[in-house]
Amino acid sequence: MIIALFRTILLYLLIILGIRLMGKKQVGELEPTELVLAMLVSDLAAVPMQDFGIPLLFGVVPIVALLCITMALSVLTMRSRRLRLLLCGRPSILIRDGKLLQSELKQTRMTPEELLEELRLQGVTDLTTVKYAILETSGQLSVLPYAREQPPTARDLKIPVPEPGLPLTVVENGQIYPENLRRRGLDQVWLQAELRRQQVPLEEVFLLTVDEARQVYCVRKEGTV
Amino acid sequence: MRRLTLSLLLLALLGLLSLGNSALLRSVSAQLNETLAQAEAAAEQGDWETAQALTQAARDRWEDWGDYLYVVLPHDYTDQVSVHFQEALELLQWGETAEYAASSGRLMAAVDHLSEAQALTLRNLL
């Protein structure tokens, strides 16, 4: 068991190193520590699941060890910038002020074709419209177009618009969420009145949300009148 | 900070329990092999009854630890030891000196292997 524990720690660190060396592109949407955890935990759980000759502890101990290490690393990376840089790396600016930074592309081992593909996925086909393109540590590409390329906002047009509220679910599938009612400063009396106004009995409500402006969105269950 | 402390404590606890398990396995293996060695010595002297009693005592002790060992060791290892015990006892009944010596050797090696395979050594780690 002690061997399983030590091997888990060694392999975990080794895989983190491997992921870091591979680069951001390959990591996808997860941080390296998260990706390694996801990869290892499922395999570790599968081993004693399939082979009954292997004690459950041989899966449980490594999994618990991995979770502890990941938790510890996530707290430490939050506190230490240096450790965060070591484990997660730093974002790479691939396009700055509309100019493709070839050295950064080379360093991230990303080809221009791959970059264009990522830009297309974000709806960008014209490189000259991009002020910044940043390859984040998670492997995702953030694209910041020039201000002139962005659609005007209500503020630009000096048009006053009401603030959107945050809808909270108050009723779901006929069930009331009293804490959300309270958060909106409402009560059951208001709810009953609103349901009468909507002409929907409680048991027929699929979804009812309320935002800060008391804007109500109500959906009746399918198959009811 | 609490999460960090809890994680590190849990990790340390796992480490301690694992080391404790290794130490326990070493102790159990050593005790079993000591008894088996005495049984082998008795058989060499021609005292089959003593040899059989000692081997049976070792087997009883093995079975006392059975549940725990099946939880912490691969079942292949533990099954192997059980089979070797049976083999040794059968050979003792028939008084087969050479075969018993070989079987006893295999049994003791298998018992040794239980603790050796779980010891924190470079060989096991790599």
Side-chain angles (χ1 to χ4, degrees):
Chain A
M1 225 196 308
I2 187 75
I3 302 299
L5 185 62
F6 270 81
R7 281 186 172 189
T8 301
I9 296 171
L10 284 171
L11 287 170
Y12 180 80
L13 294 173
L14 182 66
I15 294 175
I16 294 255
L17 178 65
I19 299 279
R20 284 290 289 118
L21 288 173
M22 265 183 355
K24 290 183 272 288
K25 211 156 56 76
Q26 286 78 8
V27 164
E29 293 185 6
L30 299 171
E31 293 294 334
T33 53
E34 294 165 351
L35 179 67
V36 171
L37 182 69
M39 278 164 47
L40 288 178
V41 164
S42 53
D43 279 341
L44 285 169
V47 168
M49 225 187 273
Q50 291 171 343
D51 187 345
F52 302 144
I54 296 178
L56 217 52
L57 277 178
F58 276 45
V60 168
V61 167
I63 288 173
V64 172
L66 278 178
L67 291 172
C68 289
I69 299 169
T70 308
M71 180 65 67
L73 283 178
S74 75
V75 173
L76 290 172
T77 50
M78 223 168 52
R79 290 166 182 274
S80 164
R81 187 164 181 270
R82 205 184 278 180
L83 186 62
R84 196 162 56 245
L85 284 175
L86 182 66
L87 284 179
C88 306
R90 61 174 85 234
S92 302
I93 300 178
L94 302 179
I95 299 176
R96 180 187 277 127
D97 293 328
K99 226 189 288 185
L100 205 60
L101 301 180
Q102 296 176 43
S103 59
E104 281 295 316
L105 263 185
K106 195 174 174 186
Q107 197 153 1
T108 56
R109 289 191 297 284
M110 193 177 222
T111 64
E113 276 302 318
E114 285 169 332
L115 176 59
L116 287 175
E117 182 185 327
E118 287 295 326
L119 288 171
R120 279 195 301 273
L121 285 169
Q122 304 230 15
V124 174
T125 49
D126 185 356
L127 272 174
T128 60
T129 63
V130 177
K131 186 168 167 65
Y132 289 109
I134 303 166
L135 185 63
E136 308 292 356
T137 56
S138 62
Q140 283 185 298
L141 188 72
S142 300
V143 178
L144 303 168
Y146 281 102
R148 63 175 182 266
E149 304 297 337
Q150 300 196 43
T153 62
R155 186 166 71 171
D156 297 332
L157 299 170
K158 295 188 173 48
I159 298 172
V161 289
E163 286 297 326
L166 176 66
L168 280 184
T169 303
V170 164
V171 179
E172 185 185 328
N173 218 6
Q175 213 168 352
I176 302 173
Y177 291 178
E179 66 278 9
N180 284 349
L181 256 185
R182 271 197 303 276
R183 281 200 190 105
R184 283 286 169 258
L186 303 168
D187 55 19
Q188 299 269 1
V189 172
W190 174 90
L191 180 60
Q192 295 305 327
E194 184 59 31
L195 289 174
R196 276 196 297 276
R197 198 177 71 79
Q198 299 272 354
Q199 294 177 328
V200 178
L202 178 64
E203 54 277 6
E204 287 180 16
V205 174
F206 180 68
L207 179 69
L208 191 148
T209 64
V210 184
D211 65 15
E212 290 105 327
R214 302 259 177 115
Q215 191 95 345
V216 173
Y217 177 76
C218 182
V219 177
R220 194 190 273 268
K221 282 184 190 173
E222 282 177 2
T224 58
V225 175
Chain B
M1 202 62 193
R2 197 175 55 182
R3 283 186 186 183
L4 178 64
T5 313
L6 277 171
S7 311
L8 293 175
L9 276 174
L10 189 52
L11 206 53
L13 182 65
L14 277 179
L16 282 172
L17 287 173
S18 303
L19 283 171
N21 175 61
S22 295
L24 184 61
L25 287 176
R26 247 193 329 270
S27 164
V28 170
S29 297
Q31 283 172 17
L32 286 174
N33 273 349
E34 197 185 320
T35 311
L36 290 169
Q38 287 171 3
E40 202 175 327
E44 277 170 17
Q45 303 288 325
D47 187 355
W48 295 103
E49 275 182 26
T50 307
Q52 193 158 14
L54 284 168
T55 308
Q56 187 61 50
R59 191 197 193 176
D60 290 342
R61 188 163 172 75
W62 165 258
E63 277 171 10
D64 287 342
W65 282 100
D67 289 345
Y68 176 78
L69 292 172
Y70 268 89
V71 167
V72 299
L73 291 171
H75 296 179
D76 284 348
Y77 296 5
T78 45
D79 287 345
Q80 203 175 38
V81 170
S82 296
V83 164
H84 286 319
F85 259 119
Q86 186 63 33
E87 189 186 12
L89 283 167
E90 294 287 338
L91 288 167
L92 277 169
Q93 260 190 333
W94 289 101
E96 302 284 347
T97 316
E99 285 89 347
Y100 166 71
S103 171
S104 177
R106 279 195 295 273
L107 173 57
M108 287 170 70
V111 168
D112 251 341
H113 182 65
L114 293 179
S115 62
E116 216 178 80
Q118 300 298 311
L120 185 58
T121 60
L122 201 60
R123 190 165 75 168
N124 283 340
L125 267 180
L126 301 176

